[in-house]
Amino acid sequence: MAPSQLDATSPIRVGILGAGEVSQVVHLPTLAYLSQSYKVTAICDVSREAVAHAQAKFHIAFGCHDSAELCAREDVDLVVVASADEFHAIHAVQAADKGKHVLIEKPMTLTREDARLVEEARKRNGVHISVGYMRRYTSVWARFLDLVADSGPIQYAVVRDLGGPNSTFVSQSGTDPKYFTDIAPQDVEAKRSETQRIARTAPGKTRSKDARLHKIFRLLGSLGSHDLSCMRHVFGGLPKECRAAFASQSGDFIAAQFVYGQEGEDDFAVNYETGIHAIGLFDAFIEVFCRDRIVKIKYDTPYVKGLPITITVRENSGVDGRGFDEKVIRPTFVDAYTAEFLRLEKALRAGAKVTEEHPSDAVKDLDVFDMILDKL
């Protein structure tokens, strides 16, 4: 089906699949702030109570419980897929086949076959499909990439994302989300069935019956995917190899060492670590060591608006090179999710194809998952 034709001046009409925490805390408030650019016209969830709550709180005219019904609506130009990870591919393909543009929350999919279906739907329908790796969309990220490129050959890097419980940050976000459990047995069974299908067809070792490996795989697909996507972006694609990996027995912490290197330059190590703990601390950064400069981008929790993403530059100074300068750069207070939607609006109105966020890029995260899992 031909893609939706966007009015040059009217807000882009949005249908949201999923009325859970991320929609209530992030997407719906952000789109409400961007009322000149977007208007949420429809919302869908398997919980009737969640739909009713979102409609009342965010003044959404239409609510339903069938994703196909939302995707078929004429008053929807863009579908935001914020449903359970298991349904991302199903919902993205449904939307694309109705000519809707699509923003998929991360992870795009958890199997290569699902990723292939999403990419084929994008090509078949000529729609824009991007993945919600919001950190890539910010002006701060672009500044960081420029600084790294300008700093000479990389010698070493650290990629970290260790997070406390989301509830700590969400409870202080001012968004007051509500949680509902009125899910019909057939919907519970549908999710269980999709979870089992993914377990049978997921990459590498996750096809085993080891529950710990499945938990590690799902952690990589959730919290870990943000950082692995950024890692690929800043260091030039997939690593040459994963030299070693470790996961705690609980499956809550993962560490890995990757090897990167450009032609004509020495290889360098990227130490990656991610995990979930019980302390109210969000510790996420990428730090790149070059010969005369260290560049670090640091993220705070995305659930509280206005917390800036910063870049710290440390380097030698003075005519003899024995001095030391440290500079903190804060280009903007615009949060990553707002930047994501503003960039998406620009791309949709211009008919641009932002290749770095296409499904064909996002599926490469599964290759990195494979590298880690194969070393466990």
Side-chain angles (χ1 to χ4, degrees):
M1 182 176 287
S4 297
Q5 296 300 309
L6 301 181
D7 186 292
T9 56
S10 298
I12 296 169
R13 300 168 300 178
V14 182
I16 296 184
L17 295 177
E21 183 178 272
V22 71
S23 289
Q24 292 183 47
V25 175
V26 174
H27 295 315
L28 286 166
T30 300
L31 291 167
Y33 291 139
L34 298 174
S35 57
Q36 290 185 318
S37 301
Y38 293 96
K39 179 178 176 60
V40 179
T41 56
I43 190 159
C44 174
D45 197 280
V46 292
S47 164
R48 283 168 165 72
E49 292 180 5
V51 169
H53 171 72
Q55 283 189 267
K57 183 172 181 176
F58 295 97
H59 311 292
I60 304 169
F62 178 80
C64 66
H65 318 290
D66 181 357
S67 59
E69 184 179 0
L70 181 143
C71 293
R73 291 186 63 85
E74 292 186 359
D75 62 350
V76 170
D77 305 309
L78 167 71
V79 172
V80 175
V81 177
S83 50
D85 296 350
E86 289 85 350
F87 296 100
H88 283 188
I90 293 170
H91 290 160
V93 172
Q94 275 184 341
D97 282 344
K98 292 298 182 181
K100 312 304 182 186
H101 304 292
V102 182
L103 172 65
I104 311 175
E105 258 299 340
K106 60 79 195 166
M108 181 184 73
T109 68
L110 292 167
T111 75
R112 292 186 177 87
E113 174 61 17
D114 282 354
R116 182 185 65 80
L117 294 175
V118 173
E119 176 68 354
E120 288 179 353
R122 180 186 73 83
K123 292 178 178 178
R124 179 170 64 248
N125 296 288
V127 296
H128 183 105
I129 297 181
S130 58
V131 181
Y133 292 127
M134 73 284 187
R135 295 176 184 177
R136 283 195 184 192
Y137 290 83
T138 64
S139 60
V140 189
W141 178 250
R143 184 79 172 270
F144 174 68
L145 293 178
D146 288 343
L147 281 165
V148 171
D150 187 52
S151 298
I154 299 170
Q155 297 180 320
Y156 177 70
V158 178
V159 177
R160 171 185 284 185
D161 198 342
L162 300 177
N166 281 346
S167 58
T168 298
F169 313 115
V170 168
S171 64
Q172 300 178 73
S173 68
T175 56
D176 190 27
K178 304 299 181 187
Y179 304 92
F180 304 95
T181 58
D182 62 315
I183 301 174
Q186 62 267 27
D187 293 318
V188 174
E189 174 58 27
K191 183 177 179 181
R192 187 188 68 83
S193 177
E194 282 301 302
T195 301
Q196 290 180 339
R197 179 188 64 82
I198 288 168
R200 292 192 303 269
T201 59
K205 281 187 177 180
T206 54
R207 285 195 294 269
S208 76
K209 295 182 179 180
D210 188 332
R212 175 172 169 269
L213 287 177
H214 285 294
K215 183 177 181 180
I216 293 165
F217 173 64
R218 296 305 291 264
L219 176 59
L220 289 170
S222 55
L223 180 65
S225 59
H226 279 303
D227 312 281
L228 294 174
S229 171
C230 286
M231 181 185 78
R232 291 190 294 102
H233 196 189
V234 68
F235 299 125
L238 290 172
K240 289 184 174 181
E241 64 174 309
C242 178
R243 188 66 59 83
F246 171 84
S248 63
Q249 189 58 39
S250 67
D252 291 328
F253 290 89
I254 303 167
Q257 185 179 78
F258 297 103
V259 177
Y260 270 93
Q262 303 291 335
E263 186 175 349
E265 299 178 359
D266 292 339
D267 287 347
F268 60 92
V270 176
N271 273 3
Y272 166 77
E273 50 191 50
T274 193
I276 299 173
H277 53 75
I279 311 303
L281 173 69
F282 194 90
D283 187 15
F285 64 82
I286 298 176
E287 190 166 23
V288 182
F289 294 77
C290 301
R291 188 184 67 180
D292 295 313
R293 178 182 286 171
I294 301 169
V295 185
K296 179 179 183 178
I297 185 168
K298 183 170 178 59
Y299 301 92
D300 213 320
T301 173
Y303 292 114
V304 179
K305 277 192 178 294
L307 300 179
I309 301 168
T310 60
I311 299 171
T312 301
V313 179
R314 301 179 178 94
E315 58 190 334
N316 297 325
S317 64
V319 293
D320 59 0
R322 295 183 180 180
F324 173 76
D325 286 350
E326 180 174 274
K327 176 171 65 174
V328 176
I329 303 170
R330 189 219 8 101
T332 180
F333 281 108
V334 175
D335 65 276
Y337 283 108
T338 298
E340 175 181 71
F341 277 110
L342 289 173
R343 178 167 166 178
L344 179 59
E345 179 197 14
K346 185 176 181 181
L348 292 178
R349 294 200 189 281
K353 304 300 182 184
V354 187
T355 55
E356 73 190 40
E357 284 97 21
H358 276 176
S360 58
D361 171 80
V363 72
K364 294 175 185 175
D365 284 346
L366 297 178
D367 295 331
V368 184
F369 297 175
D370 255 351
M371 290 181 179
I372 295 172
L373 290 161
D374 283 345
K375 292 295 183 179
L376 294 179

